[in-house]
Amino acid sequence: MTACANNSGTSDAKKAPSASTAPKPTLAPALTQAQAREAITHYSKTNNLAHQSQDRALLDTVEGGPRYAMSLSDLKQDEALPKADREPYRPWSYDLSTTDLYIPRLKDGQQRWFAAVTRAGSQQQYARVLIMAESTTSKQWEMVATVDLDDPKQLPQLVLDKDGYATAVDAASTSLAAPVGVLRSAVTDNFATGGETTGKKVFNPSEASQRQIKVHDETTGKFGPRGTTRFASADPQFADAYALKTTTGALVVFSHTHTQHDAVTAPGLGIVPEKQDRAWLGTSPSPAFTYTFTCSDIAAVPSVPEPSSLLGYGCRRTDAKAAGPSTSV
């Protein structure tokens, strides 16, 4: 459909607003601070009830993403242990008086989420980062990630606006020194090669990064000449990442998945499943096992081309199965 021109040669059609004059998308807080505290409290209470009765369906109403996968793993592993080896469940709750909320302003239609940093200990020396997101189906708030910080002092300063709200950042943005895909590859490289390919280039030698490398170094040699252990990356079971603006870049919480393949090096040998593995593997020896781990990670990523800092991570075995032997090193 074309516009008719008048005799002066100017168009009667209104000009579309330029990019500079077009209205900016409205950004609104994901929720209020009171609502965020209520969501954390509801999560704690429901989580206790679900674990005390081992009610997976109830737990599913307040957990999602990697946090729910890890909880299911804990329940499955505990149920397979002899009763004498099971630790009694102790109800708990987050101390909201020592919890800082970081609620981002989001675009209309964007999935709502927020972060919190909760502290414990006589000197508040223990800190955990929480990520809660609104379920796109149930519209209920779910805990999707919890990651303990190795050193709370390493937590970068998050940027808050005049009203106290945080700024969400695209974790995949190339404006960051290490977008989330690079971070995910680097943490799996820490396990797979001890960081020799990309891990030591992307991350500075923080305690968390060194722990991942230590897992590689100690685990790959645990069988001596009788067996091998190989770590490998896997497609992430949970691709969502959450990032907030800091004074130096962004704080990024993400998930990764990696596998561990244990195998004997000679016929007639077998690997006996450990107690923690029996929920998946039973008690029968096998020449090879493959384990799948689901993990949550948190990193401080600069906006300038410098190494990032892995501030903490946590993993759970979420699958294991007998596999064909492999003698490759």
Side-chain angles (χ1 to χ4, degrees):
M1 181 176 181
T2 58
C4 298
N6 59 24
N7 292 336
S8 65
T10 59
S11 173
D12 291 333
K14 293 182 178 179
K15 293 183 178 180
S18 64
S20 60
T21 60
K24 295 182 179 180
T26 302
L27 298 179
L31 74 176
T32 67
Q33 289 214 3
Q35 290 170 329
R37 294 182 187 280
E38 182 181 349
I40 294 174
T41 299
H42 176 69
Y43 166 71
S44 301
K45 291 180 178 179
T46 307
N47 180 280
N48 281 323
L49 291 173
H51 276 279
Q52 286 171 327
S53 59
Q54 297 185 328
D55 189 336
R56 290 163 172 78
L58 179 60
L59 189 62
D60 191 23
T61 66
V62 291
E63 286 191 348
R67 179 63 267 166
Y68 184 54
M70 292 182 188
S71 291
L72 291 181
S73 173
D74 288 341
L75 288 173
K76 183 171 183 175
Q77 177 177 298
D78 190 61
E79 289 172 347
L81 291 174
K83 290 186 177 180
D85 293 338
R86 301 179 193 177
E87 294 186 5
Y89 184 80
R90 294 181 174 86
W92 60 274
S93 64
Y94 289 119
D95 184 356
L96 295 182
S97 68
T98 59
T99 298
D100 297 323
L101 300 174
Y102 298 98
I103 300 171
R105 293 183 181 272
L106 303 172
K107 298 177 182 178
D108 185 36
Q110 188 175 353
Q111 184 188 20
R112 297 196 297 162
W113 65 277
F114 71 92
V117 179
T118 183
R119 294 174 174 82
S122 58
Q123 304 297 322
Q124 297 188 14
Q125 66 270 35
Y126 307 112
R128 175 176 293 176
V129 175
L130 317 175
I131 299 292
M132 295 199 75
E134 186 183 52
S135 169
T136 56
T137 53
S138 68
K139 300 302 179 182
Q140 299 295 312
W141 285 97
E142 297 178 340
M143 188 70 72
V144 295
T146 62
V147 193
D148 291 334
L149 299 176
D150 285 319
D151 183 359
K153 295 178 182 178
Q154 291 182 329
L155 187 70
Q157 183 178 351
L158 283 93
V159 175
L160 301 178
D161 64 19
K162 61 182 180 63
D163 297 315
Y165 292 106
T167 300
V169 175
D170 180 3
S173 174
T174 54
S175 66
L176 297 175
V180 66
V182 174
L183 296 174
R184 193 172 278 127
S185 296
V187 293
T188 54
D189 183 65
N190 280 345
F191 287 102
T193 73
E196 295 301 323
T197 303
T198 61
K200 293 179 180 179
K201 297 176 182 177
V202 173
F203 295 119
N204 60 37
S206 67
E207 182 177 341
S209 188
Q210 292 300 107
R211 280 195 294 120
Q212 291 180 341
I213 293 172
K214 185 178 180 180
V215 170
H216 165 270
D217 294 345
E218 293 184 351
T219 308
T220 52
K222 66 180 181 179
F223 293 126
R226 296 189 175 189
T228 61
T229 294
R230 292 182 292 109
F231 291 97
S233 62
D235 291 337
Q237 185 180 0
F238 305 101
D240 290 339
Y242 305 87
L244 292 173
K245 185 178 181 180
T246 68
T247 55
T248 55
L251 183 70
V252 183
V253 179
F254 61 100
S255 177
H256 84 269
T257 306
H258 69 263
T259 60
Q260 174 185 330
H261 182 77
D262 291 354
V264 300
T265 54
L269 298 177
I271 301 171
V272 179
E274 297 181 2
K275 283 195 299 184
Q276 292 79 4
D277 303 327
R278 291 177 183 175
W280 294 271
L281 302 175
T283 59
S284 300
S286 175
F289 293 117
T290 297
Y291 311 89
T292 299
F293 294 88
T294 298
C295 310
S296 286
D297 311 81
I298 183 169
V301 184
S303 54
V304 295
E306 295 178 353
S308 299
S309 297
L310 188 66
L311 305 180
Y313 78 95
C315 297
R316 293 290 193 281
R317 180 187 295 98
T318 50
D319 192 23
K321 57 186 178 182
S326 173
T327 57
S328 60
V329 179

